Amino acid sequence: MRASRLVTLLLLLQNRGRMTARQLAEELEVSVRTVYRDVEALGAAGIPLYGDAGHAGGYRLVDGYRTRLTGLTADEAQAAFLAALPGPAAELGLGEALATARLKLRAALPAELREHAERIQERFLLDAPGWYGDADRTPHLAAAAAAVWARRAVVLRYRRWRAPEEIERRVEPYGLVLKAGRWYLVADGPPGIRSYRIDQILELRPLEEEFAVQDGFDLTRHWNSYLAGFRARLHTGEALLRLTPEGARRLGVAPAGGGWTEARVPIESIDHAHGEFLRLGADVEVMAPAELRDRVAETVRTLATRYEEGPRAESAPGRGAERPHQ
């Protein structure tokens, strides 16, 4: 542990130049006293560094000195591929390895390229998850990643949307995919290669059995094929709509002049389209299919009746509704 910290301290000084003992302590998450001891150890090992006293003082390496301790460990090499995604790297248990890998990569770059890399990090940020909804709880992500790295089979207890809603299955984890802030495990099992949402895994039990990936399997190619199939299955129907200019804008349909626009749009199912089109309110009229038009009309009639009756006495505020106990 201390050896790793000494290397990190050395790389910090090489990348950033002069740093105070307090700054080093904050970066290394140790006490200032520990930094003093580490600096003494590096000096005793022949590393040419010295400290300046005073307000603008601190530790720095002798000009021109560059460490050759920049070889990446296995974890750091894996983390380097996630350098644009510090959040997912931390979820996979590679947060510390990623930070060290970045230091080593910077140390290995010439000064002009290092400055360019630092400007990129200062000015660009990738935030993959969507705006709405909390992040998924993924307590089994680290175990799934470990099984992927080690090529070891696991037993999943998994929750899915169709019956039976809870299943247990032995699978062979091929890879992990992060899609729109959500993690998926791609694994081979009795039904073939499937994708499992990590947040729907109820239990993951690692096995000692090693496995070999199917010949010719490529994670990127498989995922792209899965997405293409998903989209093909997603929109299996079509609806004929009349849209106001605002409705056309919200659906991304090119308006026909300043009046109503007639458009055909793909739909996933009657149930899904019913909810989606109701969100457009009076800016849409469903013309076909008849089943969807009837569903929307029935919902509109129910809402109209409910609002014509006025608020119910037992639920209206200030009408004797019982207050919860404080």
Side-chain angles (χ1 to χ4, degrees), residues 39-323:
V39 168
E40 289 179 3
L42 288 173
I47 302 298
L49 60 82
Y50 61 92
D52 295 322
H55 178 71
Y59 293 105
R60 68 187 183 94
L61 295 167
V62 171
D63 291 342
Y65 176 81
R66 295 184 64 81
T67 176
R68 293 293 178 260
L69 297 175
T70 54
L72 296 178
T73 67
D75 279 353
E76 291 160 1
Q78 292 162 0
F81 287 98
L82 297 167
L85 299 169
E91 291 174 358
L92 290 170
L94 294 171
E96 184 177 348
L98 174 58
T100 305
R102 281 177 164 172
L103 283 172
K104 290 184 176 181
L105 288 171
R106 283 199 190 101
L109 291 173
E112 63 277 8
L113 292 182
R114 184 163 64 249
E115 291 173 6
H116 180 68
E118 289 170 354
R119 285 199 300 271
I120 291 175
Q121 186 174 353
E122 289 170 359
R123 301 175 192 182
F124 296 92
L125 173 68
L126 174 61
D127 185 8
W131 281 103
Y132 304 105
D134 297 330
D136 294 332
R137 293 184 66 256
T138 55
H140 302 293
L141 177 59
V148 169
W149 301 134
R151 290 283 188 251
R152 293 188 183 277
V154 300
V155 173
L156 297 180
R157 190 162 60 85
Y158 187 76
R159 182 193 299 117
R160 60 182 186 176
W161 63 271
R162 66 177 184 274
E165 293 184 354
E166 189 175 308
I167 60 171
E168 185 169 293
R169 181 176 294 166
R170 177 196 174 279
V171 299
E172 298 175 349
Y174 280 10
L176 286 165
V177 176
L178 179 63
K179 171 70 172 176
R182 178 165 288 160
W183 285 100
Y184 295 84
L185 175 66
V186 177
D188 193 11
I193 300 176
R194 294 288 187 271
S195 298
Y196 301 87
R197 275 178 50 173
I198 295 290
D199 65 317
Q200 297 301 307
I201 295 177
L202 304 174
E203 182 183 357
L204 188 148
R205 190 167 69 253
L207 302 175
E208 293 299 320
E209 308 167 28
E210 295 187 10
F211 65 87
V213 176
Q214 290 184 17
D215 289 342
F217 175 81
D218 178 86
L219 182 60
T220 301
R221 186 167 59 247
H222 168 82
W223 185 255
N224 289 338
S225 175
Y226 168 77
L227 289 181
F230 174 78
R231 294 189 184 102
R233 295 188 301 271
L234 189 62
H235 295 133
T236 56
E238 188 179 70
L240 176 62
L241 308 176
R242 290 180 70 240
L243 299 160
T244 66
E246 174 62 15
R249 183 191 67 79
R250 291 171 64 183
L251 273 186
V253 173
W260 288 81
T261 297
E262 190 171 288
R264 294 185 178 275
V265 298
I267 62 174
E268 178 181 343
S269 64
I270 297 296
D271 288 341
H272 184 263
H274 171 256
E276 290 297 305
F277 294 151
L278 281 175
R279 294 167 56 187
L280 297 177
D283 289 315
V284 63
E285 179 186 359
V286 177
M287 308 297 292
E291 181 183 358
L292 178 57
R293 180 181 174 88
D294 292 344
R295 284 277 300 276
V296 173
E298 178 61 29
T299 301
V300 171
R301 284 193 292 269
T302 301
L303 289 172
T305 301
R306 184 171 298 159
Y307 281 91
E308 286 171 359
E309 292 174 350
R312 298 185 181 184
E314 63 269 20
S315 60
R319 296 192 182 183
E322 187 175 318
R323 293 189 177 187

